[in-house]
């Protein structure tokens, strides 16, 4: 690696965003003139959420810095304090690493902390998944705030790119590249059914449901009730269905949801809950599923590329573009049961995914490499022209 290589520092705080940045990071690492740096934070450092920093290393990445943010609380107060801890930790990490460009993805509060530290330290920043809409979560406000702190924007679709220009971002700095999650589907050698069952601890059944339900952070105190409605619907499924739960993330109310998921699974021979599956196991499991149920973005972004139908519950993902394989349900058992029935009736069939073709990572790396001077990006005005793609 040349001493003149420019340092591109990625930030990851959860299993979800890590699965999305694996291939962009590999593309950066393979690009002449660029050197990859990586900071792990948030749930990656917590045994409660699977201590997934080990998964990062298993994928062949070096963790250059780790930033502790999680408190033993999932209240709004606890999350707010975690952001403050994150800003302090990222300031120290960035000071040691001295990156030329910081790359963040999405809208989690750990990412928000990293973005604030980078902004105050005058570090150029690139943002993936900006311009998306999720009206049922505070992620919406966090995502748009990170947009205003960032200098390069890699949008997953043309609608999101247009929103970025409406937010005042110059279209010359906005690039529609697709979702990097589809790159994984295109490149990974997926596990077979027997291997998946052995890895997870429960063999796949005749029919299989993958369930991920996260807190609905805008509607405080509503998440537990919505999850109970989901349980009521799942309990009516034929015993031939096996239920594979991935636990909720570390947002407010996340621990309460996880306790209820563990209680629901206990004593059911056809159900299992896993804190973190990792990228390969998760996508391999999706590939074998008859339906994906819950409110995770993976049902919107990745599942359609595997031709697996999705039941999206509630408003957490409201506003995102959807493939024809995505069925929406209100947060009551009747709506959920009907949507599951409709999804199963549709079954697995070829689906056009609006989030790209699996070449996102190379586009991101090539665009970053083509920029001659990252520091010049810091001078950023409000774009007042017509919104374009």
């Amino acid at each position: 690696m040349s001493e003149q290589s420019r340092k591109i520092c990625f930030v990851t705080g959860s299993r979800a965003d890590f699965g999305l940045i694996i291939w962009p990071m590999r593309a950066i690492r393979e690009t002449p003139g660029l050197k990859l740096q990586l900071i792990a934070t948030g749930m990656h450092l917590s045994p409660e959420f699977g201590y997934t920093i080990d998964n990062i290393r298993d994928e062949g990445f070096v963790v250059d810095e780790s930033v502790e943010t999680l408190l033993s609380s999932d209240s709004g107060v606890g999350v707010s304090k975690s952001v403050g801890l994150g800003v302090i930790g990222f300031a120290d990490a960035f000071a040691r690493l001295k990156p030329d460009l910081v790359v963040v993805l999405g809208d989690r509060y750990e990412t928000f902390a990293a973005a604030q530290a980078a902004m105050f330290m005058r570090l150029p920043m690139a943002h993936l998944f900006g311009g998306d809409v999720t009206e049922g979560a505070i992620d919406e406000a966090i995502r748009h705030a990170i947009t205003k702190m960032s200098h390069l924007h890699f949008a997953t679709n043309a609608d999101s790119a247009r929103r970025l220009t409406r937010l005042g971002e110059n279209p010359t700095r906005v690039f529609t590249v697709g979702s990097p999650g589809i790159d994984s589907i295109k490149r990974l050698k997926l596990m077979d059914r027997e291997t998946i069952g052995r890895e997870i601890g429960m063999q796949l059944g005749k029919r299989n449901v993958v369930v991920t339900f996260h807190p609905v952070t805008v509607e405080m105190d509503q998440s537990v009730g919505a999850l109970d409605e989901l349980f009521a619907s799942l309990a009516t499924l034929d015993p031939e269905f096996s239920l594979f739960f991935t636990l909720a993330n570390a947002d407010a109310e996340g621990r309460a949801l996880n306790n209820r998921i563990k209680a629901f699974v206990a004593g059911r021979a056809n159900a299992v809950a896993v804190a973190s599956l990792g990228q390969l196991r998760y996508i391999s499991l999706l590939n074998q599923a008859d339906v994906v149920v819950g409110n995770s973005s993976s049902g919107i972004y990745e599942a359609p590329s595997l031709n697996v139908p999705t039941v999206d519950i509630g408003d957490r993902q409201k506003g995102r573009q959807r493939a024809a394989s995505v069925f929406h349900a209100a947060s009551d058992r009747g709506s959920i049961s009907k949507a599951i029935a409709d999804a199963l009736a549709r079954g697995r069939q070829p689906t056009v995914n609006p989030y790209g073709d699996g070449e996102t990572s190379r586009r991101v790396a090539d665009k970053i490499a083509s920029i001659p001077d990252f520091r010049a990006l810091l001078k950023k005005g409000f774009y007042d022209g017509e919104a374009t793609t």
Side-chain angles (χ1 to χ4, degrees):
M1 182 68 64
S2 167
E3 291 183 3
Q4 300 303 312
S5 293
R6 297 184 292 173
K7 294 176 287 187
I8 313 300
C9 182
F10 281 71
V11 174
T12 176
S14 72
R15 70 196 186 210
D17 67 45
F18 177 67
L20 292 170
I21 63 173
I22 284 179
W23 292 102
M25 288 195 299
R26 286 178 173 153
I28 290 292
R29 194 166 57 184
E30 295 165 0
T31 301
L34 302 180
K35 178 182 179 181
L36 177 67
Q37 294 179 326
L38 179 59
I39 300 177
T41 186
M43 290 187 285
H44 285 308
L45 309 180
S46 170
E48 179 181 1
F49 295 99
Y51 198 67
T52 47
I53 191 170
D54 287 339
N55 298 132
I56 297 174
R57 292 169 176 144
D58 289 344
E59 290 287 347
F61 294 103
V62 173
V63 178
D64 297 285
E65 292 279 346
S66 59
V67 175
E68 293 278 5
T69 61
L70 284 185
L71 297 176
S72 177
S73 166
D74 63 356
S75 68
V77 172
V79 172
S80 298
K81 290 182 177 179
S82 291
V83 173
L85 287 174
V87 174
I88 294 169
F90 280 109
D92 290 338
F94 289 147
R96 287 188 289 267
L97 293 178
K98 297 178 172 54
D100 294 293
L101 181 73
V102 175
V103 182
V104 296
L105 181 148
D107 42 45
R108 284 196 52 77
Y109 63 83
E110 304 97 338
T111 307
F112 188 43
Q116 290 179 73
M119 176 183 67
F120 287 119
M121 295 177 72
R122 303 291 291 156
L123 296 174
M125 185 160 54
H127 184 208
L128 287 80
F129 284 69
D132 284 6
V133 175
T134 51
E135 297 176 17
I138 61 170
D139 302 358
E140 169 95 350
I142 292 174
R143 188 184 314 108
H144 296 333
I146 294 172
T147 285
K148 298 313 297 179
M149 297 184 229
S150 300
H151 309 92
L152 290 175
H153 308 277
F154 295 107
T156 63
N157 61 88
D159 285 349
S160 292
R162 280 191 289 270
R163 290 189 197 99
L164 289 168
T165 57
R166 292 187 185 111
L167 285 168
E169 300 306 300
N170 192 311
T172 63
R173 298 185 180 193
V174 176
F175 309 98
T176 303
V177 296
S179 169
I182 302 172
D183 295 31
S184 297
I185 293 170
K186 185 174 181 178
R187 290 166 172 77
L188 286 175
K189 179 176 171 40
L190 301 183
M191 297 176 175
D192 59 31
R193 291 170 62 89
E194 290 72 23
T195 303
I196 298 167
R198 187 168 59 251
E199 291 277 328
I200 293 175
M202 185 178 82
Q203 287 300 315
L204 277 72
K206 183 177 180 182
R207 308 193 78 181
N208 300 281
V209 183
V210 177
V211 187
T212 305
F213 194 88
H214 295 301
V216 185
T217 48
V218 166
E219 302 170 359
M220 289 300 295
D221 303 320
Q222 301 296 311
S223 298
V224 168
L227 180 61
D228 286 343
E229 290 295 297
L230 171 57
F231 288 154
S233 174
L234 293 174
T236 66
L237 289 175
D238 191 282
E240 72 176 0
F241 283 92
S242 293
L243 309 177
F244 295 86
F245 287 83
T246 59
L247 294 182
N249 59 30
D251 289 328
E253 297 188 282
R255 287 180 175 87
L257 296 188
N258 287 339
N259 288 337
R260 296 183 89 81
I261 291 169
K262 292 172 185 175
F264 179 82
V265 167
R268 283 182 163 84
N270 68 331
V272 66
V274 183
S276 176
L277 288 169
Q279 182 196 38
L280 176 59
R281 288 189 298 178
Y282 182 69
I283 294 178
S284 296
L285 181 59
L286 281 188
N287 189 49
Q288 297 293 337
D290 292 275
V291 62
V292 179
V293 179
N295 61 8
S296 169
S297 61
S298 64
I300 308 292
Y301 283 120
E302 284 87 54
S305 287
L306 293 165
N307 300 323
V308 180
T310 296
V311 172
D312 176 54
I313 300 170
D315 290 340
R316 192 171 189 271
Q317 303 299 334
K318 185 178 180 180
R320 291 199 195 275
Q321 281 194 11
R322 293 157 187 267
S325 58
V326 179
F327 296 79
H328 183 260
S331 300
D332 65 85
R333 66 192 70 184
S335 297
I336 295 169
S337 292
K338 181 181 185 306
I340 291 175
D342 290 342
L344 291 171
R346 183 184 197 275
R348 300 173 63 105
Q349 57 180 278
T351 303
V352 176
N353 192 330
Y355 293 103
D357 57 2
E359 296 297 331
T360 295
S361 302
R362 190 69 263 160
R363 294 184 186 112
V364 170
D366 288 347
K367 178 50 64 177
I368 288 174
S370 74
I371 296 170
D373 182 6
F374 294 137
R375 301 295 298 178
L377 297 172
L378 290 171
K379 189 174 181 180
K380 170 183 167 179
F382 190 96
Y383 177 74
D384 245 339
E386 289 295 321
T388 67
T389 57

